[in-house]
Amino acid sequence: MRLSQFLTKILVDPAVAELPETAELLMRAAGVPREAVESPEQVFRLAELSPDPEGEAKRVLYLTRNRGAFVKPCPGTRNYLCCGYQILHVGSFCSMDCSYCILQTYFHPPVLSLFMNHRDLFSELTRVFADKPDNVRRLGTGEFTDSLLFEDICDLTPRLVSAFGTQDHAMLELKTKTVNISRLEGLPHGRKTVVAFSMNTERVIAENERRTAPLAARLAAAARVQEWGYPLAFHFDPLVFYPGCEAEYAGVMDSIAKLVRPGNLSWISLGSFRFPPQLKTVIERRFPGSSITCSEYLPGVDNKMRLFKPMRQRLFQELAGRLARMVDGLVYFCMEDEAVWKNALGFSPEEKGGLSGMLDRAAREVCGLRG
């Protein structure tokens, strides 16, 4: 999907109106109406007044300034093992439309935003690159938005990839459900950028992931960026339980195993569908044909609804065990406790230096990081 063809309006914060990055973006999105706004509250009101605030917010892009830190730790979840990933916060929300997306309730109201003060961003990255050069740093832009969503209107991703390619102790993960990869070709990435694809079965994609790339297209894009020398990663998050899902997930995993070259897979994560209770109401209103919440979900210690633990342990055991036999990259669980790890894979991350340490080692081996 070309974002510029989907947007109905671009709203511009006066704080970034005169920046060259803003002028370049507006030129690339020349056909989209634009309007100056004086405050974020104006933007919020536009979404709130719509009968479908989440849907309306996906079609209006707000160009603004990040007034806080660009690099921040992933919030994680207490009582579950966190991977030590750091968020590179370049923007918020997404124009694709996944039923299960927690961003629909995480932001109040949700607003599709892109931060344009790139000079501040790269100044902060320069400090990150200089700080503790003997420590591995894993950063990614795919926590609060899709990493490759803005490719047709913004030059940020090529600049980030090139910047990470100049140093050797930090890596960038680009996580996406798109196939917007063309601008990655020929960049001096130095294998310091991992291109990661969010994966699911064809059924889950069809029912719950509007305006995302089809499964076959994601696999083809992964093969293509691999040809350009990029390490790969894949994220099965959320795994959705339904009758016959095990066989369908196994088929997707077989396809991944066939395309990944030895030594080029950084990691594969597995995470079961989990959601704050208020998201169920949003899903039922916006995705009446989805059955994603129709299973045995119980409150977890983080107050999110989670698949009944014995059920998700069986699913993890089958799928993670299969992956571990098929690929030579790290397989890990996102936001699970030690009991799930032991039951599914036979060990706890603490026995191997902790989950963060396991991912750091994978980054050293696949991306050539030192530290």
Side-chain angles (χ1 to χ4, degrees):
M1 181 185 70
R2 289 179 60 83
L3 183 60
S4 58
Q5 296 176 347
F6 180 72
L7 295 175
T8 58
K9 188 181 294 186
I10 298 176
L11 304 177
V12 184
D13 183 341
V16 302
E18 302 303 320
L19 293 178
E21 293 90 345
T22 302
E24 175 70 19
L25 185 148
L26 293 175
M27 183 184 72
R28 289 177 179 271
V32 184
R34 66 282 316 269
E35 178 183 325
V37 291
E38 293 302 320
S39 70
E41 286 71 27
Q42 283 181 262
V43 183
F44 298 154
R45 281 197 296 272
L46 283 173
E48 287 175 331
L49 293 174
S50 169
D52 179 16
E54 300 85 3
E56 178 66 21
K58 291 174 179 292
R59 300 182 70 90
V60 178
L61 175 61
Y62 180 39
L63 305 182
T64 188
R65 175 175 175 265
N66 185 354
R67 292 167 172 80
F70 280 95
V71 178
K72 54 186 70 178
C74 179
T77 301
R78 189 177 56 174
N79 299 312
Y80 295 104
L81 300 178
C82 187
C83 68
Y85 169 87
Q86 291 184 296
I87 299 166
L88 186 54
H89 193 192
V90 301
S92 302
F93 208 42
C94 180
S95 62
M96 291 177 282
D97 205 10
C98 298
S99 68
Y100 53 76
C101 181
I102 195 173
L103 299 182
Q104 295 175 104
T105 57
Y106 191 87
F107 298 111
H108 305 283
V111 172
L112 179 63
S113 304
L114 184 60
F115 302 136
M116 303 309 296
N117 51 323
H118 295 170
R119 176 179 292 184
D120 296 332
L121 185 160
F122 283 97
S123 293
E124 192 169 333
L125 273 182
T126 298
R127 294 192 293 273
V128 168
F129 294 158
D131 182 48
K132 299 179 180 177
D134 292 331
N135 291 353
V136 168
R137 303 286 292 269
R138 291 177 284 106
L139 294 86
T141 55
E143 185 73 10
F144 293 142
T145 189
D146 186 279
S147 292
L148 299 181
L149 179 66
F150 303 99
E151 296 311 286
D152 67 315
I153 58 174
C154 183
D155 285 328
L156 180 58
T157 300
R159 293 179 64 196
L160 286 172
V161 171
S162 299
F164 274 80
T166 65
Q167 52 74 60
D168 61 4
H169 77 284
M171 50 115 344
L172 172 68
E173 184 176 40
L174 302 175
K175 188 187 300 183
T176 190
K177 291 187 180 78
T178 77
V179 292
N180 298 339
I181 61 170
S182 62
R183 302 187 71 195
L184 298 178
E185 185 176 9
L187 296 178
H189 57 78
R191 292 184 62 80
K192 302 306 182 291
T193 294
V194 171
V195 184
F197 291 87
S198 295
M199 305 300 285
N200 227 301
T201 65
E202 291 181 335
R203 170 175 166 173
V204 172
I205 292 170
E207 286 188 1
N208 300 282
E209 297 186 0
R210 298 171 181 159
R211 297 192 294 275
T212 66
L215 174 60
R218 296 182 209 182
L219 291 166
R224 190 70 177 141
V225 294
Q226 181 172 241
E227 292 292 333
W228 300 337
Y230 290 90
L232 296 176
F234 298 92
H235 297 285
F236 288 85
D237 194 354
L239 290 171
V240 179
F241 184 83
Y242 57 88
C245 69
E246 298 91 341
E248 293 182 19
Y249 278 115
V252 180
M253 293 171 180
D254 289 346
S255 297
I256 289 172
K258 290 174 183 175
L259 78 84
V260 177
R261 293 174 180 166
N264 202 51
L265 179 65
S266 301
W267 41 71
I268 296 181
S269 73
L270 304 176
S272 69
F273 180 43
R274 56 211 179 273
F275 57 96
Q278 63 269 29
L279 183 59
K280 186 174 189 289
T281 303
V282 175
I283 294 172
E284 290 172 346
R285 170 171 55 85
R286 301 194 67 241
F287 290 79
S290 174
S291 60
I292 195 168
T293 60
C294 300
S295 194
E296 297 183 45
Y297 292 102
L298 300 171
V301 295
D302 57 355
N303 296 319
K304 290 181 181 178
M305 304 302 291
R306 288 174 172 258
L307 187 66
F308 184 45
K309 193 169 185 177
M311 293 174 65
R312 72 176 192 268
Q313 284 186 161
R314 287 196 299 272
L315 185 61
F316 282 146
Q317 187 172 28
E318 179 168 342
L319 297 180
R322 183 184 190 89
L323 279 172
R325 294 189 299 270
M326 293 169 57
V327 300
D328 61 358
L330 173 64
V331 177
Y332 73 96
F333 299 126
C334 186
M335 293 301 157
E336 284 293 350
D337 60 24
E338 289 196 9
V340 168
W341 278 84
K342 280 188 170 291
N343 284 323
L345 287 174
F347 67 89
S348 161
E350 294 308 308
E351 299 169 17
K352 299 191 176 188
L355 179 53
S356 183
M358 292 164 62
L359 285 155
D360 288 350
R361 287 194 296 275
R364 292 189 191 98
E365 292 169 5
V366 179
C367 301
L369 298 186
R370 66 184 179 91

